[in-house]
Amino acid sequence: MAFDTPGHDTAAFGTKGPDQNLEPLTIPRRHVGPKDVAIDITYCGVCHTDIHFGHDDWGMTTYPLVPGHEIVGRVTSVGDEVTAHKIGDLVGVGCLVDSCRACPSCAKGDEQYCQNGATQTYGSPDPHLGGTTHGGYSASIVVDEHFVLRVPESLDTKAVAPLLCAGITTYSPLRHWNVKPGQKVGVIGLGGLGHMGVKFAAAMGAEVTMITRSAGKGEDAKALGAHRVLLSSDADAMAAEAGSFDFLLDTIPVGHDINPYLQLLKTDGAMAIVGAIDAIEPVQGFNLIFGRRTVGGSLIGGLPETQEMLDFCAKHDIVCDIEMIGMQDVNEAWKRVQAADVKYRFVIDMASLKGDA
Ligand code: ZN
Ligand code: ZN
């Protein structure tokens, strides 16, 4: 297979091995093709997935790795056939930069479930340049217009970046399971995902309960819009709420026992898992059969729904709660993410990489 010659080099931060710190790198970006958009990256969020990939936790990383899939920036150039974006537009790129566009999932706008394998923003085989795709810990990127989102100018730009992964990951299941005003919704776990789940569910009109083991996190969730707090470590409180929830959004990032949560669901209630990709502890059939309850999972969202989410955020004035860092601070930030020591997302100011901060 013949690959394109690169269009330009760009400054980036990446890692050369599972035990290495991130360091300055120079990476190639492709020529701007007829349907491509070139973006000067202004902000990029730090997602826990970046760290899993960086450390090769899932055994699928190719090095060097340039992570980052919560990208916001300005369009600097467009191809001849681009119609959706123009130079100067504020735009975003999330977890996907391409897909087959032909399978049933792509035809429905669910590109994240592309049956031929979507191209991830980083770490996927790069069909243009060979090697693997490189993400948003960089000064610029070139992406097909279909995978570039319009970012509403009314929102706080730097706090928009994490919407492209943490935001859509929680918005999509709330929409898929038709969360409605007045429904009782529980958000399990308060981190980068959970804090967005609380904001979205409240904006959709649900009565939102933060379900957490930590009383302190319950108070934080109330500040984000949660109406109530349920301590999962309090067996009496859990029993008192049994059978009362319409929907549960489970954002816990590692495998865990979901049986105590399933008992919180009403008849026909549903629980969506969005955080844990490793093994879930055995589920008691009793907890599903009695009450016709369902358990599902959900992965980010397709391009149409991600645009809908950004527009919903503009209408309801929703962004992420963030802590800004410079590119040189990213190794320390990764350690703090692993220690759950951030409220609730780090965002890298890419001016620090370009030397104009
Ligand atoms: Zn992510
Ligand atoms: Zn497809």
Side-chain angles (χ1 to χ4, degrees), residues 100-103 106 114-115:
C100 84
R101 327 280 182 100
C103 73
C106 286
C114 176
Q115 288 153 22

Side-chain angles (χ1 to χ4, degrees), residues 309-353:
M309 180 267 313
L310 288 168
D311 296 341
F312 181 91
C313 287
K315 186 173 168 199
H316 295 272
D317 199 23
I318 291 172
V319 287
C320 297
D321 286 27
I322 62 157
E323 184 175 330
M324 291 295 297
I325 57 169
M327 191 73 253
Q328 69 284 354
D329 305 320
V330 72
N331 290 302
E332 182 60 28
W334 276 24
K335 292 193 184 98
R336 286 185 52 199
V337 171
Q338 290 178 287
D341 175 26
V342 56
K343 287 182 180 175
Y344 287 93
R345 209 68 154 177
F346 286 112
V347 171
I348 304 162
D349 182 351
M350 220 44 79
S352 61
L353 182 64

